[in-house]
Each structure stands twice: as C-alpha cells, then as structure tokens.
C-alpha cells in the first residue's frame, strides 16, 4: 500500500470538484422535491439555462 507524502502535495482537479458540487446540488433538489424533477428543473439546478442565455453554452 502506498501512502501520499505529507506536506500538501495533493493535486486538485477543479473540473471534477465542480461536477461533484453540481451533483450534490442536484441530489438536494431531488430529495426536496415531492415529485420527479422536470428537465427544466434539472437545467435550473445545473445552471444550464444561464450558460445558454450568456452565450457560453454549446
């Protein structure tokens, strides 16, 4: 078994951290909803409509 050396040498993947945060927000929204989330609700939680409105989306 290998152990990472002490001293703050951890690498952070900012894209992965952002995806984890969005998944957490989606889980919270789904658990608070009484019914299944609509596609529009999911887009709102994931801030997809904001990107499209700004012109930064695909």
């Amino acid at each position: 078994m290998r152990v990472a050396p002490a001293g703050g040498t951890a690498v952070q993947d900012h894209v992965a951290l952002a995806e984890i945060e969005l998944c957490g927000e989606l889980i919270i929204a789904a658990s608070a909803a009484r019914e299944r989330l609509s596609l529009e609700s999911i887009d709102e939680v994931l801030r997809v409509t904001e990107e499209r409105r700004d012109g930064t989306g695909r």
Side-chain angles (χ1 to χ4, degrees):
M1 180 171 94
R2 292 182 127 164
V3 178
T9 59
V11 176
Q12 289 189 0
D13 184 343
H14 297 286
V15 173
L17 291 173
E19 289 179 0
I20 291 168
E21 183 179 345
L22 289 174
C23 286
E25 291 177 16
L26 191 56
I27 291 168
I28 291 168
S31 65
R34 291 183 175 220
E35 297 180 4
R36 188 175 185 169
L37 292 177
S38 67
L39 293 177
E40 291 81 17
S41 297
I42 293 171
D43 284 350
E44 184 178 326
V45 171
L46 297 178
R47 297 186 287 268
V48 173
T49 54
E50 290 176 15
E51 288 184 10
R52 288 184 185 154
R53 205 174 316 130
D54 294 342
T56 57
R58 292 179 218 183

